[in-house]
Amino acid sequence: QVQLVESGGGLVQPGGSLRLSCAASGFALDAVAIAWFRQAPGKEREGVSCINSSDGWTYYGDSVKGRFSMSRDNAKNTVYLQMNSLKPEDSAVYYCAGRNTKDCSNYRFGRGFGSWGQGTQVTVSS
């Protein structure tokens, strides 16, 4: 059974850091492209970052570039999202998702992502 489970969310002050984890079971994370999305109340889902299957190249949305970093640990079958310099506008439910292909092209549109985790809440507030 294919499953993705996110963890690591919570409440953090502006300027703080969090590291989200996405653990996979039922398939190898390095066999497909994996992305992080987020959705805040009343807002559209936003593509945050993505990692290619083959070369591990990562892509980031403009709103998080330079602050967030995505990585993959093949031995643990887990991907991570390191979030630094957090802002209140980063508050959202964060989801990881597995794509049906190996590359991240146009990942922000969310097409081709057939496996989704349950999400983890990130709240940035003083």
Side-chain angles (χ1 to χ4, degrees):
Q1 181 181 359
V2 173
Q3 191 174 18
L4 293 168
V5 178
E6 303 97 334
S7 61
L11 174 63
V12 63
Q13 291 187 345
S17 298
L18 280 175
R19 189 178 78 156
L20 305 184
S21 300
C22 171
S25 59
F27 73 104
L29 274 177
D30 63 349
V32 298
I34 302 293
W36 286 96
F37 294 86
R38 68 185 182 186
Q39 189 163 24
K43 293 189 176 181
E44 292 188 357
R45 185 182 63 196
E46 178 185 5
V48 175
S49 67
C50 186
I51 185 166
N52 276 343
S53 164
S54 54
D55 54 16
W57 197 261
T58 50
Y59 302 84
Y60 300 94
D62 290 340
S63 62
V64 306
K65 204 170 292 183
R67 299 187 298 122
F68 289 14
S69 176
M70 186 174 181
S71 61
R72 184 177 65 207
D73 185 330
N74 294 338
K76 294 183 178 180
N77 211 28
T78 299
V79 296
Y80 303 97
L81 184 68
Q82 178 66 43
M83 306 186 295
N84 299 327
S85 302
L86 283 163
K87 305 175 182 179
E89 51 264 43
D90 293 319
S91 298
V93 178
Y94 284 70
Y95 301 89
C96 65
R99 206 174 203 185
N100 301 331
T101 62
K102 295 179 180 293
D103 69 276
C104 291
S105 59
N106 298 314
Y107 77 94
R108 287 173 289 173
F109 298 106
R111 298 192 188 103
F113 288 92
S115 302
W116 292 79
Q118 83 289 350
T120 185
Q121 176 71 48
V122 171
T123 303
V124 185
S125 175
S126 55

